[in-house]
Amino acid sequence: MTWLKNTYATQLPNSLFSPQVPVPVSNPSMTLYNGALAIELGVDEHLKEERQALEYLSGNEIVPESQPIAQAYAGHQFGHFNKLGDGRAVLLGEIETRKGLYDLQLKGSGQTPYSRRGDGRATFYSMLREYLISEAMHALGIPTTRSLAVIKTTDKVFREQINEGAVLSRVAASHIRVGTFEYARYLREEGDLVSLLQYTIERHYPELLNHENHALALLERVMQKQKELIINWLRVGFIHGVMNTDNMAISGETIDYGPCAFMNTYHPRTVFSSIDTGGRYAFANQPNMAFWNLQVFANALIPLIDKDEEVANSKVDKVMKRFPETFSNVFFEMMNNKLGIVNQVGVGRELVQDCLELLAKHQVDYTNFFTALRWGGELIDKLRHDESFKTWYVQWNIARVKGASVEESDALMVKNNPVVIPRNHMVEEVLNSAVVGDMKPFQTFLEELSSPYKEKASLQLVPANFDASYQTFCGT
Ligand code: AMP
Ligand code: MG
């Protein structure tokens, strides 16, 4: 019996995808299986037998009646338009749940018509990395694609060196991206764009169906979702690293965990990706880039917003104009939450601005600082040598008990500040053990990351200068 739907393949014009079965792999073995997620999705019955799960999730056997496809898309990569598509992934189909449809995609599943010069494969190392960080993001309460399994193969994958290969099963609200709309708009006919819009709204935002202007309503909704997402990234110090328009999901989920990393020492210009030499996707530039991507999204929707291009543009401008101001309001609210300011009425922006300046000046750990504020201790004692910090600290103490108790303020801080995040040195350490066959450190760390807000006995320690030479890579 089939347990996957194929709405993308059956409801959308076939110019938006290519039928593609996964290319078989050699000797698949189950390295990671997310049983809790399988239960949540209601697919545990179909996967409970390990031999069967291995066949389906390696792509060596197709789920009965499933119609696997590679999705077509385009995208602006570092500002430049390119024709792309699933070059190393296959959508097996959609799982129907109470919360709607979820894509089940295999990543590293072999070449497709969109592979260009790529081999269609993924390394064991990078699929483990995606599993770890995406599950950590989920535990942090941040919308994200999830990881159902990592299956190791004995096929070699050639990058700078010879690596072991793997297939990741990725679960997403959908894989519809800004780039999917760019593809339909610029490389296909208007009818395809209309179908894509209709499908997207029905699948993700059916409440917009009674809106008189579907395209404009979708733009507004996606803008709101992106705003919430980026605010969450800024809250926990997440740097996506490659916010190209093909890596921006219409669902508002974090997608594509290539060169991402978490910031340790606070600095707005922090970048880890080896290819982001200009700092386009630096920590504090992420809101600007989300705005840039939304403008690309709006441009792709223009013909559906109004037949008259000028009218369409002015409607778009009206919506886009609201982004900077509303973003900044929500940003300060989020930062004040981190500071435990319960009663924010009449609270200015100085407390947050001064705080961030002090963190940058003293090279303070962004995550540890907000917990240390509650705990006291060495981190705060050191800062007290600075008169301007002392002044700030007094003001903070006054602000947080204005119309609230210390307990209420603490509770707000606990809710908004993780104690445990995927520290770069830890990620490296557990992945390096994993590739030589020891999964234990990975499992222990994954477990720890599953309750990031839980009070711990101590703060995470970061080796001095580790980040100075830390680099992350795309598409490995
Ligand atoms: P990414 O950097 O992962 O967002 O990928 C950008 C584009 O490159 C997408 O179209 C991917 O499908 C494609 N791509 C990345 N790695 C490979 C690979 N090993 N083989 C084929 N295509 C790839
Ligand atoms: Mg991508």
Side-chain angles (χ1 to χ4, degrees):
M1 193 196 70
T2 186
W3 46 276
L4 287 175
K5 299 198 100 175
N6 296 102
T7 67
Y8 202 91
T10 55
Q11 293 176 17
L12 281 165
N14 56 20
S15 61
L16 296 181
F17 58 86
S18 297
Q20 177 68 54
V21 290
V23 182
V25 294
S26 316
N27 308 306
S29 62
M30 189 76 79
T31 300
L32 290 165
Y33 179 68
N34 196 337
L37 178 59
I39 292 172
E40 217 179 297
L41 293 166
V43 295
D44 48 313
E45 270 301 302
H46 310 291
L47 301 172
K48 69 170 185 274
E49 207 196 311
E50 187 173 319
R51 190 203 55 81
Q52 186 64 75
L54 262 179
E55 292 293 310
Y56 287 153
L57 301 180
S58 65
N60 281 1
E61 187 185 323
I62 301 304
V63 175
E65 291 167 60
S66 133
Q67 300 173 33
I69 56 166
Q71 291 176 318
Y73 53 88
H76 278 78
Q77 299 179 299
F78 287 88
H80 305 284
F81 182 78
N82 287 312
K83 185 173 175 234
L84 302 163
D86 287 334
R88 57 158 168 178
V90 161
L91 175 67
L92 294 182
E94 302 108 17
I95 301 163
E96 194 164 25
T97 77
R98 262 174 298 146
K99 289 197 249 163
L101 297 178
Y102 281 86
D103 279 4
L104 179 57
Q105 191 204 59
L106 300 186
K107 187 168 173 182
S109 54
Q111 285 180 322
T112 77
Y114 312 108
S115 296
R116 293 168 293 163
R117 268 159 301 166
D119 61 3
R121 293 299 183 192
T123 64
F124 182 50
Y125 183 97
S126 61
M127 294 306 94
L128 288 176
R129 193 172 194 275
E130 170 152 348
Y131 189 109
L132 186 76
I133 304 186
S134 63
E135 287 306 299
M137 288 291 270
H138 174 72
L140 284 161
I142 301 177
T144 176
T145 63
R146 308 254 337 245
S147 301
L148 182 61
V150 171
I151 288 172
K152 195 163 129 181
T153 77
T154 54
D155 300 323
K156 297 297 171 220
V157 177
F158 299 91
R159 296 291 181 263
E160 314 260 273
Q161 70 224 45
I162 302 174
N163 298 273
E164 286 175 301
V167 179
L168 171 84
S169 358
R170 178 157 79 176
V171 173
S174 87
H175 286 82
I176 304 170
R177 311 140 191 269
V178 168
T180 317
F181 281 84
E182 291 177 79
Y183 185 85
R185 162 84 162 95
Y186 301 113
L187 301 168
R188 295 291 152 190
E189 288 139 31
E190 191 167 314
D192 294 359
L193 186 62
V194 172
S195 305
L196 179 63
L197 176 69
Q198 181 75 12
Y199 177 87
T200 303
I201 292 188
E202 280 173 7
R203 178 156 173 185
H204 291 293
Y205 309 113
E207 68 280 10
L208 302 181
L209 282 170
N210 50 28
H211 201 286
E212 63 176 44
N213 191 327
H214 286 179
L216 198 64
L218 181 65
L219 173 65
E220 285 190 280
R221 182 55 57 89
V222 171
M223 180 181 274
Q224 176 205 337
K225 289 277 172 184
Q226 284 301 314
K227 197 158 52 191
E228 289 165 10
L229 182 65
I230 309 295
I231 293 284
N232 264 312
W233 291 357
L234 299 182
R235 179 171 64 80
V236 300
F238 179 77
I239 303 166
H240 183 282
V242 61
M243 289 174 70
N244 294 332
T245 55
D246 52 305
N247 293 333
M248 178 168 154
I250 298 302
S251 65
E253 289 181 337
T254 311
I255 186 170
D256 228 322
Y257 284 86
C260 68
F262 280 73
M263 175 172 67
N264 292 313
T265 302
Y266 175 77
H267 199 289
R269 288 199 301 277
T270 305
V271 169
F272 291 109
S273 168
S274 62
I275 57 167
D276 191 7
T277 46
R280 181 179 170 92
Y281 301 130
F283 177 69
N285 206 31
Q286 297 184 112
N288 294 332
M289 293 326 302
F291 183 73
W292 196 94
N293 290 348
L294 285 163
Q295 188 63 60
V296 170
F297 184 46
N299 292 345
L301 292 171
I302 286 286
L304 307 189
I305 287 175
D306 202 287
K307 290 266 169 291
D308 182 331
E309 199 177 322
E310 229 172 274
V311 175
N313 277 320
S314 92
K315 284 182 175 165
V316 163
D317 288 349
K318 246 192 224 153
V319 170
M320 294 299 292
K321 247 189 14 221
R322 291 201 295 270
F323 183 87
E325 191 190 323
T326 54
F327 189 94
S328 129
N329 290 341
V330 191
F331 172 77
F332 281 98
E333 185 186 327
M334 176 277 287
M335 289 304 295
N336 276 316
N337 288 343
K338 278 176 81 68
L339 288 170
I341 314 295
V342 177
N343 181 5
Q344 296 182 11
V345 183
V347 170
R349 296 182 164 186
E350 298 75 22
L351 201 67
V352 168
Q353 280 158 344
D354 293 351
C355 171
L356 291 176
E357 257 170 51
L358 284 161
L359 295 188
K361 177 176 161 197
H362 294 284
Q363 301 183 14
V364 181
D365 185 275
Y366 183 66
T367 298
N368 289 349
F369 173 75
F370 293 93
T371 301
L373 265 184
R374 277 190 300 117
W375 289 5
E378 201 188 320
L379 194 156
I380 301 297
D381 292 342
K382 270 198 202 149
L383 289 170
R384 280 187 215 269
H385 295 300
D386 182 343
E387 282 304 319
S388 49
F389 179 78
K390 272 206 251 176
T391 312
W392 180 88
Y393 191 72
V394 170
Q395 284 166 347
W396 169 68
N397 265 306
I398 296 169
R400 76 180 193 127
V401 292
K402 210 181 78 185
S405 65
V406 171
E407 289 72 26
E408 284 170 311
S409 169
D410 278 355
L412 186 62
M413 292 176 86
V414 168
K415 222 172 85 184
N416 285 281
N417 298 303
V419 185
V420 172
I421 56 166
R423 299 287 185 174
N424 300 326
H425 70 285
M426 287 296 294
V427 172
E428 289 296 292
E429 197 180 303
V430 304
L431 293 182
N432 287 333
S433 294
V435 293
V436 296
D438 183 6
M439 284 301 293
K440 240 195 173 151
F442 183 102
Q443 293 288 9
T444 309
F445 195 38
L446 183 66
E447 176 63 32
E448 203 187 347
L449 290 168
S450 71
S451 48
Y453 300 100
K454 204 167 106 189
E455 281 300 78
K456 297 271 151 59
S458 58
L459 298 170
Q460 284 178 306
L461 287 179
V462 179
N465 292 325
F466 181 88
D467 281 358
S469 58
Y470 185 62
Q471 274 201 324
T472 57
F473 302 91
C474 285
T476 42

